[in-house]
Amino acid sequence: MTTPTNPVVIVGAGPVGVVCALLLARRGIASVILERHREPYALPRAVHLDDEVFRILQAIGIADEFAPQTRPMPGMRLVDGRGRVMTEFTRDTGDGRNGFPPDSMFDQPDLERILLHKAAEVDLIDVRRGCQVTEVSGGARPVVCYRDLAGTTAAVDAVAVIGCDGANSAVRAQLGITMRDFRFDERWLVVDVLTPAPLDVWSGVHQICDAHRAATFMPVTGNRYRWEFRVHGDEDLDALRAEDSLRQLLSPWLSPTALAESEIMRHASYTFRARVAHTWRNGSVFLAGDAAHQTPPFVGQGLGSGLRDAFNLTWKLADVLDGVAQDSLLDTYESERKPHATRIIVMALVVGWGLTGGQDRLASIRRALVAAACHIPRIASALPDASPALSRGPLVRRRGFRSRLNGTLFPQPWVRTPDGARRLDDLLGTGYALITRGPLRDHAAYRPAANGLTHVDVDALTCVPSSNPSPSAVMRSRHTHAVLLRPDRVVMASARTSADVGELLSAYQRVHCTDLEEIPV
């Protein structure tokens, strides 16, 4: 493949990096991915994603191919040290408000295989493996230097750089960016097992709230299962990974015979950390994924946070590179994603503190509080929202009682079309969209199309029946007549009446600075 002039250079060919490349490619922007490893990592890592992240996979055209490789997750049980269920947090396994099951389990190698196959089909994406990045310059026109497998050095003049190269990011180190540390460092032993037959267990996540050995057990997909065990500070890790120790750890779920017949795919130790980069942008160089933030796994949002980074950054970068937005738009990447990722990390810390039992003098008090909370009405039927709304900013107008949709993802139903049922996002294209309840007034009907906006009247949609309220019903319940959606389907602004629609179009023009038709307000 011939390298285009001034591509976006993406460092790291993990899911976050490849998704960045695919999102840019659908906007016609070329990228070069530099990956230091010669082959994709073949062992399991991330195992959970939510319906919001599934919408990102839909945006790059792989959701329907990937869905059969996943399994809807019905919720989580809290289990005490004796194996007794304390409570159960349930999840609906049908399609939710985002058009997919609220939570799904998957095997990361399955996702990476589909992503890399998709990237290989796109001429605008050049994946180079065995390339160790040696230098990254900041500024408006960054240069990335790397060394390949033959020891040859090369450089790429980039229009922008996205560092998706993990917790030990070379890009972050090159730019001298430091991390805010939440002072959470715990070692855990992760064991992935493939059994010859399905285990007779509940298919949700089991959180073992045991101060002696906090653990998590998760059926993944097929006959694949994961256990995570906390390692105490004075334990010999090699001894813990020995055959006899593993047999004892897994004994509540696997008999010695069943374990002997199973394949231990991996047993590795990880140090779970909670950290956020102090800055996510240096000129035209950006950090994403684990390079920008690391979270404990207690709410299952490690990979999800990275893919949210990818979606948030790439549409803004594409608008700037296309000349339809000012460079200052890119400042909203950090101002939106950093607080969001930080809130998820804090949520994970709080959940982990309450559920894993702890190793300090307050462990017994925490367990008692968790047990008591499990008897409070509605506690047992809800899990925390892993994706809080975006706060007010240049791309999210003021939130309040009358504008509660602002900063949230707009719901995505299945919609009947002449070509069959389709998800709403597939009808909206890649840019901004104006959603109204009812048709536009005659004198305003021509303006969205003239200004590059997709317009959808949700009252005219025939939604496939589901247990979720239709977008029209959601808007009506919020006393909202119209909303302006960003390319990532976050509600940027809302209008209460048809007379206020012009304000939404003006808000769009203020960030989309092409030579558009002037819109009277």
Side-chain angles (χ1 to χ4, degrees):
M1 175 177 176
T2 302
T3 303
T5 303
N6 297 125
V8 174
V9 172
I10 299 168
V11 183
V16 176
V18 179
V19 167
C20 281
L22 288 167
L23 288 168
L24 289 170
R26 74 178 192 149
R27 291 288 301 271
I29 295 172
S31 62
V32 172
I33 303 178
L34 302 176
E35 169 57 53
R36 64 188 179 93
H37 294 294
R38 298 179 62 178
E39 300 292 338
Y41 190 72
L43 295 178
R45 285 165 290 168
V47 294
H48 167 268
L49 53 79
D50 61 30
D51 54 344
E52 291 187 7
V53 175
F54 235 124
R55 284 179 80 167
I56 301 173
L57 302 182
Q58 176 191 349
I60 57 175
I62 70 163
D64 291 335
E65 180 182 359
F66 178 56
Q69 308 296 321
T70 70
R71 179 182 62 79
M73 194 270 286
M76 179 175 68
R77 284 178 177 172
L78 305 187
V79 181
D80 66 17
R82 298 181 182 180
R84 298 173 300 188
V85 177
M86 300 163 61
T87 194
E88 181 176 307
F89 299 87
T90 58
R91 282 290 205 225
D92 190 342
T93 56
D95 287 347
R97 70 189 306 273
N98 287 298
F100 299 93
D103 291 276
S104 296
M105 305 299 289
F106 74 103
D107 193 39
Q108 185 167 332
D110 290 340
L111 174 60
E112 293 201 34
R113 181 175 60 255
I114 293 171
L115 285 172
L116 290 169
H117 183 265
K118 182 74 171 180
E121 296 178 335
V122 179
D123 290 338
L124 290 170
I125 300 175
D126 179 5
V127 180
R128 303 180 187 179
R129 290 194 168 275
C131 296
Q132 179 67 55
V133 170
T134 57
E135 184 177 353
V136 179
S137 66
R141 290 291 180 180
V143 176
V144 180
C145 302
Y146 66 93
R147 182 173 56 252
D148 64 19
L149 290 172
T152 304
T153 59
V156 181
D157 293 326
V159 69
V161 176
I162 308 176
C164 307
D165 49 342
N168 299 314
S169 170
V171 174
R172 191 182 66 232
Q174 281 283 324
L175 298 177
I177 297 174
T178 57
M179 305 282 283
R180 176 188 176 187
D181 195 332
F182 288 81
R183 306 296 181 187
F184 179 90
D185 293 88
E186 286 190 355
R187 287 192 306 161
W188 286 65
L189 176 66
V190 178
V191 184
D192 289 292
V193 175
L194 178 64
T195 62
L199 300 181
D200 185 17
V201 296
W202 183 63
S203 60
V205 174
H206 302 67
Q207 182 63 58
I208 294 82
C209 305
D210 182 4
H212 174 67
R213 178 77 71 190
T216 306
F217 166 58
M218 295 171 284
V220 184
T221 57
N223 296 347
R224 288 173 285 194
Y225 300 88
R226 169 169 293 182
W227 288 264
E228 297 172 351
F229 301 99
R230 181 158 49 198
V231 179
H232 299 305
D234 57 351
E235 282 190 291
D236 183 338
L237 192 57
D238 290 334
L240 193 63
R241 290 186 292 196
E243 183 177 344
D244 289 345
S245 295
L246 285 178
R247 186 181 300 114
Q248 182 177 357
L249 288 172
L250 299 177
S251 61
W253 300 274
L254 291 170
S255 67
T257 301
L259 181 58
E261 295 173 347
S262 300
E263 175 190 352
I264 297 179
M265 303 172 66
R266 179 186 63 153
H267 54 83
S269 64
Y270 286 87
T271 299
F272 295 153
R273 294 189 170 90
R275 304 192 301 176
V276 178
H278 282 116
T279 182
W280 295 29
R281 179 187 186 189
N282 183 324
S284 294
V285 182
F286 305 86
L287 301 179
D290 285 353
H293 47 76
Q294 294 129 48
T295 180
F298 303 121
V299 293
Q301 286 296 318
L303 177 61
S305 289
L307 296 186
R308 287 182 174 93
D309 296 343
F311 207 8
N312 188 289
L313 173 59
T314 52
W315 74 263
K316 297 172 183 177
L317 182 58
D319 273 3
V320 171
L321 295 179
D322 285 345
V324 298
Q326 299 289 343
D327 182 78
S328 58
L329 181 71
L330 294 169
D331 290 333
T332 66
Y333 168 57
E334 179 178 333
S335 66
E336 289 187 344
R337 286 298 307 140
K338 184 177 178 181
H340 192 277
T342 301
R343 287 197 294 270
I344 287 177
I345 290 171
V346 171
M347 183 189 303
L349 291 173
V350 171
V351 170
W353 180 84
L355 299 187
T356 63
Q359 303 183 74
D360 53 40
R361 292 176 297 175
L362 297 177
S364 60
I365 298 175
R366 278 204 297 278
R367 291 198 304 277
L369 290 174
V370 169
C374 290
H375 293 90
I376 298 175
R378 298 185 181 180
I379 287 289
S381 62
L383 285 171
D385 185 357
S387 185
L390 296 180
S391 301
R392 179 185 181 185
L395 294 174
V396 177
R397 300 190 72 178
R398 185 176 62 183
R399 303 188 68 244
F401 181 77
R402 294 187 173 185
S403 51
R404 285 174 289 171
L405 289 176
N406 293 359
T408 68
L409 264 179
F410 193 72
Q412 177 183 220
W414 283 89
V415 178
R416 299 192 189 281
T417 74
D419 299 322
R422 300 179 65 187
R423 295 184 180 94
L424 177 61
D425 286 359
D426 294 334
L427 307 179
L428 299 182
T430 62
Y432 287 81
L434 178 66
I435 309 294
T436 61
R437 280 177 38 228
L440 291 171
R441 296 184 304 181
D442 292 341
H443 70 274
Y446 70 95
R447 294 184 294 183
N451 292 325
L453 276 165
T454 298
H455 171 244
V456 172
D457 172 6
V458 290
D459 282 352
L461 296 178
T462 302
C463 297
V464 176
S466 75
S467 59
N468 296 294
S470 68
S472 180
V474 170
M475 292 173 66
R476 189 175 296 109
S477 70
R478 300 294 192 269
H479 305 287
T480 300
H481 174 77
V483 294
L484 175 64
L485 302 188
R486 307 174 349 170
D488 56 4
R489 305 310 163 218
V490 170
V491 177
M492 177 176 172
S494 53
R496 293 177 60 81
T497 69
S498 59
D500 300 326
V501 170
E503 295 181 7
L504 302 187
L505 299 173
S506 294
Y508 166 71
Q509 269 200 319
R510 283 192 285 271
V511 297
H512 209 265
C513 55
T514 50
D515 294 329
L516 301 178
E517 179 180 330
E518 184 178 353
I519 300 172
V521 179

